[in-house]
């Protein structure tokens, strides 16, 4: 008989029958799971994230025990400093030939694991919850100067036969329905109310623990809204497919006063910690389209996010780690202003995005990219500080997905590896996409003066600052010409005003 292995399951690896659990035998292979200080504190995680992970871990532990596994579980109150210490403790309680763990999703922890020394070997195995492998992505990326999600996505569509016709052409004759997915929000539809999952005794205990141990972290736990088991997360996803998916594509890029999530799915956190399976979600959405429950543009828009973007950013992360995190091509070093931690700004769109981020640990993509990220890009905020902020505040934040999105997509700090042009926009974009401007004291039609939307002067000043670099980028020509066409005195006034704004909003 094979000698038992001790299986270490991390807080974002909560998938039964995948990874290290594939050939684990109940009654033979002990499992260790641990709530530890180092993982809970390496950034000031949102309280919702810690609560989600601890409660989901405890529920997962119970489900494994129901299946006959022996689970050694350390609660936060046991006071273990690190995962390494947890494994050392567990090894004292069992006789095993090896320790086995799925590779963690953050380079920081992977390199630490590789240094661990036990009396038995540590086996690291690949994370099999993704639809592409790191090796397959590297092969696709090799020899390409720029990595474009769209081409990777087409390969993935063919490979997984998602939204494909029998003759290998894309369903509906197009790979991408993005042009139909950009409608701005004018309160045209009623937004369905989201159901809240039940909160049981385990979750209540964890919520109290998180309030007690992490009182200064962001997050309003009075409004805890997350599922903590695979079954409940699947129910949330089914609710999305039924009630929100039909409008998902149309309002994917919209910004709404009325709702923090509009028609978005709210599933990234469940996918990232293993409560939901990416391929199953994509197939469910394809089926909804095939059954006539949503338009193709909605299904394609959703599947592209998971099969395309999610897999793509993971590939970029592992292809470039750990050096990627050090990049700062636009030399952005302005300190992160303190109001990023309380949302105290009178720019309405930014305030709404920051407050819901801090309170709930959630903002949808356009808020992260075009509201908060856009401000950070235009203001030249310090890249590492912004990346650390994003890693801390969102419930779904793990470095493999957070870093390429923040450093690459939002801050353009990777010199264009991820995106062919910076996602820089003026107040006009924000006005077009939603209804925040109506509630705002600033006017998106003005560029200088006390009523001018700050995004406007900051946008032009950003182009001005990086004129030389962007002159070589064909996709920036139009924007640069618009800046260069302005009379000299107007350009001077904009430069001056942007400088004053930055000195007050984000002092150096
Ligand atoms: P939906 O809009 O309903 O999209 C469906 C799913 O597609 C998401 O759940 C997610 O799994 C996937 N997805 C969509 N866009 C992306 C993307 N760009 N990269 C990876 N997956 C994507 N996502 C995270 O999971 N964790 C992060 O830490 C994170 N940080 C981000 C930081 C910035 C600056 C930006 C611009 C984006 C970030 N994203 C991150 C991507 C995206 O914003 C979130 O996945 C999404 O907002 C989660 O909400 P949702 O589940 O309602 O998504
Ligand atoms: C995010 C997180 C937190 C807050 N706490 C724990 C923990 O106590 N124990 C654990 O196993 N995992 C935790 N995690 C998730 C890990 O940080 C995650 O596995 C790594 O960041 C790699 O993605």
């Amino acid at each position: 008989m094979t000698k038992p292995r001790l299986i270490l399951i991390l807080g974002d690896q909560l998938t039964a029958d995948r990874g290290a659990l594939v050939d684990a035998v109940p009654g033979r292979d002990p499992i260790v799971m641990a709530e530890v200080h180092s993982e809970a504190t390496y950034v000031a995680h949102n309280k919702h994230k810690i609560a989600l992970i601890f409660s989901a871990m405890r529920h997962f532990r119970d489900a494994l025990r129901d299946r006959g596994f022996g689970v050694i579980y350390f609660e936060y109150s046991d006071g273990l400093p690190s995962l390494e210490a947890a494994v050392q403790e567990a090894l004292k309680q069992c006789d095993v030939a090896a320790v086995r763990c799925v590779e963690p999703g953050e380079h920081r922890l992977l390199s630490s694991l590789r240094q661990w020394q036990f009396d038995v070997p540590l086996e690291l195995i690949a994370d099999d919850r993704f639809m592409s492998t790191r090796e397959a992505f590297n092969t696709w990326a090799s020899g390409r100067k720029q990595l474009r999600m769209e081409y990777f996505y087409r390969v993935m569509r063919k490979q997984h036969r998602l939204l494909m016709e029998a003759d290998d052409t894309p369903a509906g004759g197009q790979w991408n329905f993005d042009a139909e997915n950009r409608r701005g929000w004018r309160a045209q539809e009623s937004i369905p109310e989201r159901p809240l999952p039940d909160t049981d005794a385990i979750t209540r205990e964890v919520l109290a623990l998180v309030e007690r141990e992490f009182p200064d972290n962001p997050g309003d736990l009075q409004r805890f809204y997350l599922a903590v088991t695979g079954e409940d997360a699947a129910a949330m996803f089914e609710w999305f497919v039924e009630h929100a998916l039909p409008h998902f594509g149309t309002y994917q890029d919209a910004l709404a006063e009325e709702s923090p999530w509009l028609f978005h799915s709210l599933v990234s956190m469940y996918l990232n910690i293993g409560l939901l399976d990416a391929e199953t979600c994509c197939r469910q959405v394809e089926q909804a389209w095939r059954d006539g429950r949503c338009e193709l543009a909605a299904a394609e828009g959703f599947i592209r996010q998971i099969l395309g973007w999610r897999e793509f950013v993971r590939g970029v992360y592992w292809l470039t780690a750990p050096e990627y995190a050090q990049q700062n091509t636009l030399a952005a070093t302005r300190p992160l202003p303190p109001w990023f931690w309380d949302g105290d700004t009178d720019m309405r769109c930014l305030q709404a995005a920051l407050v819901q981020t801090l309170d709930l640990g959630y903002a949808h993509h356009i808020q992260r990219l075009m509201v908060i990220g856009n401000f950070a890009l235009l203001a030249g905020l310090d890249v590492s500080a912004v990346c650390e902020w994003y890693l801390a505040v969102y419930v779904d934040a793990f470095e493999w997905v957070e870093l390429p999105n923040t450093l690459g997509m939002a801050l353009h700090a990777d010199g264009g590896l991820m995106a062919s042009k910076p996602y820089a926009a003026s107040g006009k974009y924000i006005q077009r996409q939603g209804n925040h401007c109506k509630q705002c004291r600033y006017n998106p039609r003005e560029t200088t003066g006390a009523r001018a939307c700050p995004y406007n002067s900051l946008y032009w000043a950003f182009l001005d600052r990086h004129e030389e670099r962007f002159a070589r980028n064909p996709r920036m020509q139009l924007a640069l010409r618009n800046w260069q066409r302005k009379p000299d005195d107007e350009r001077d006034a904009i430069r001056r005003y942007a400088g004053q704004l930055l000195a007050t909003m984000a002092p150096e």
Side-chain angles (χ1 to χ4, degrees):
M1 184 179 142
T2 322
K3 209 167 167 210
R5 293 185 188 104
L6 175 65
I7 296 173
L8 168 65
I9 296 184
L10 306 178
D12 57 350
Q13 298 177 345
L14 308 180
T15 315
D17 305 321
R18 286 284 183 116
L21 288 171
V22 170
D23 53 8
V25 180
R28 183 191 73 185
D29 298 312
I31 290 172
V32 56
M33 299 174 72
E35 301 164 10
V36 297
H37 186 266
S38 58
E39 294 309 303
T41 58
Y42 67 89
V43 286
H45 299 288
N46 196 297
K47 289 177 193 168
H48 288 274
K49 179 179 174 188
I50 307 177
L52 167 70
I53 289 180
F54 285 6
S55 181
M57 284 173 74
R58 291 179 186 197
H59 283 90
F60 195 72
R61 166 201 64 194
D62 292 351
L64 288 172
R65 283 180 179 157
D66 287 347
R67 285 172 55 193
F69 281 104
V71 184
I72 302 166
Y73 193 95
F74 299 103
E75 294 195 348
Y76 201 69
S77 56
D78 294 322
L80 285 181
S82 65
L83 289 164
E84 185 180 14
V87 175
Q88 289 285 18
E89 277 304 308
L91 284 170
K92 291 180 193 160
Q93 299 178 33
C94 52
D95 178 24
V96 293
V99 177
R100 189 172 248 224
C101 180
V102 169
E103 285 178 353
E106 300 196 342
H107 190 273
R108 147 197 87 75
L109 188 55
L110 178 62
S111 52
S112 149
L113 248 78
R114 287 189 172 138
Q115 312 294 319
W116 291 358
Q117 297 285 332
F118 305 123
D119 291 339
V120 292
L122 172 68
E123 302 168 0
L124 285 175
I125 60 172
D127 194 335
D128 57 359
R129 295 172 297 167
F130 290 87
M131 296 172 79
S132 179
T133 61
R134 284 166 55 178
E135 294 71 29
F137 185 88
N138 293 353
T139 305
W140 173 82
S142 100
R144 291 171 198 255
K145 266 208 201 119
Q146 295 179 321
L147 304 177
R148 294 293 165 257
M149 190 285 293
E150 185 62 32
Y151 301 117
F152 173 73
Y153 169 58
R154 292 178 192 182
V155 173
M156 294 289 281
R157 285 269 296 275
K158 286 188 194 164
Q159 194 182 322
H160 291 274
R161 305 231 42 90
L162 271 158
L163 299 179
M164 294 300 293
E165 303 295 355
D167 64 356
D168 235 21
T169 56
Q174 270 170 248
W175 290 105
N176 184 317
F177 293 83
D178 230 8
E180 294 170 39
N181 287 348
R182 297 207 176 116
R183 200 170 302 167
W185 182 250
R186 301 288 177 265
Q188 302 94 322
E189 311 285 345
S190 63
I191 303 167
E193 200 163 313
R194 278 175 197 262
L196 277 179
D198 287 338
T199 302
D200 64 6
I202 293 180
T203 300
R204 284 194 293 276
E205 192 181 313
V206 165
L207 293 176
L209 159 83
V210 175
E211 282 296 13
R212 201 170 54 244
E213 297 288 340
F214 307 93
D216 300 327
N217 289 30
D220 176 3
L221 287 186
Q222 298 296 327
R223 297 165 70 191
F224 188 71
Y225 60 102
L226 296 164
V228 292
T229 63
E231 294 76 45
D232 282 357
M236 293 296 130
F237 186 65
E238 274 160 32
W239 180 92
F240 161 75
V241 172
E242 196 61 31
H243 299 278
L245 175 64
H247 291 306
F248 173 82
T250 315
Y251 299 110
Q252 201 177 332
D253 286 2
L255 292 162
E257 273 291 308
E258 297 84 348
S259 165
W261 23 67
L262 266 168
F263 302 101
H264 288 271
S265 65
L266 264 75
V267 293
S268 47
M269 57 301 251
Y270 308 134
L271 289 167
N272 296 352
I273 70 168
L275 298 187
L276 285 181
D277 174 63
E279 178 162 2
T280 310
C281 291
C282 290
R283 301 233 176 262
Q284 237 175 295
V285 165
E286 172 168 26
Q287 196 56 48
W289 166 62
R290 294 202 183 275
D291 295 344
R293 287 184 282 139
C294 69
E295 298 290 334
L296 178 56
E300 190 282 317
F302 184 83
I303 288 172
R304 177 157 22 101
Q305 303 313 313
I306 293 187
L307 181 69
W309 279 113
R310 186 168 185 271
E311 296 288 334
F312 178 75
V313 299
R314 176 176 184 255
V316 169
Y317 178 75
W318 286 112
L319 181 70
T320 57
E323 291 80 15
Y324 195 77
Q326 308 311 320
Q327 297 213 44
N328 189 354
T329 307
L330 300 181
T333 54
R334 189 172 281 274
L336 189 79
W339 49 266
F340 262 63
W341 292 103
D342 60 19
D344 186 12
T345 164
D346 50 11
M347 293 166 74
R348 179 64 202 158
C349 56
L350 195 48
Q351 181 199 51
L354 288 174
V355 168
Q356 72 173 72
T357 293
L358 296 164
D359 285 353
L360 302 171
Y362 180 84
H364 61 72
H365 190 67
I366 291 302
Q367 292 178 304
R368 297 190 205 199
L369 184 65
M370 301 308 295
V371 179
I372 305 173
N374 187 29
F375 181 87
L377 171 74
L378 300 184
L381 299 186
D382 181 77
V383 170
S384 300
V386 175
C387 291
E388 184 173 326
W389 182 86
Y390 272 91
L391 192 58
V393 294
Y394 291 107
V395 257
D396 57 17
F398 297 92
E399 200 185 62
W400 65 265
V401 53
E402 175 276 328
L403 189 70
N405 270 301
T406 309
L407 187 147
M409 206 187 312
L411 302 180
H412 206 70
D414 63 358
L417 182 74
M418 277 271 295
S420 54
K421 77 188 220 348
Y423 284 91
S426 70
K428 242 187 244 149
Y429 172 88
I430 287 166
Q431 183 187 31
R432 192 168 61 238
Q433 293 312 119
N435 55 0
H436 289 307
C437 299
K438 284 196 172 144
Q439 312 288 323
C440 188
R441 62 165 281 226
Y442 296 113
N443 185 341
R445 283 182 298 277
E446 294 178 24
T447 302
T448 53
R451 277 172 44 82
C453 171
Y455 281 110
N456 290 341
S457 59
L458 294 181
Y459 172 73
W460 294 121
F462 171 78
L463 291 181
D464 185 40
R465 241 182 5 259
H466 300 294
E467 192 168 351
E468 207 180 307
R469 165 177 293 277
F470 295 148
R472 297 190 295 273
N473 183 336
R475 296 199 64 205
M476 293 301 285
Q477 296 310 304
L478 184 65
L480 280 182
R481 267 203 304 280
N482 285 339
W483 167 242
Q484 288 152 355
R485 256 195 230 122
K486 288 185 187 294
D488 283 350
D489 57 344
E490 191 182 332
R491 297 206 301 167
D492 277 345
I494 292 174
R495 283 188 194 108
R496 253 194 326 274
Y497 189 67
Q500 283 165 22
L501 267 181
L502 284 180
T504 42
M505 293 186 78
E508 289 201 90

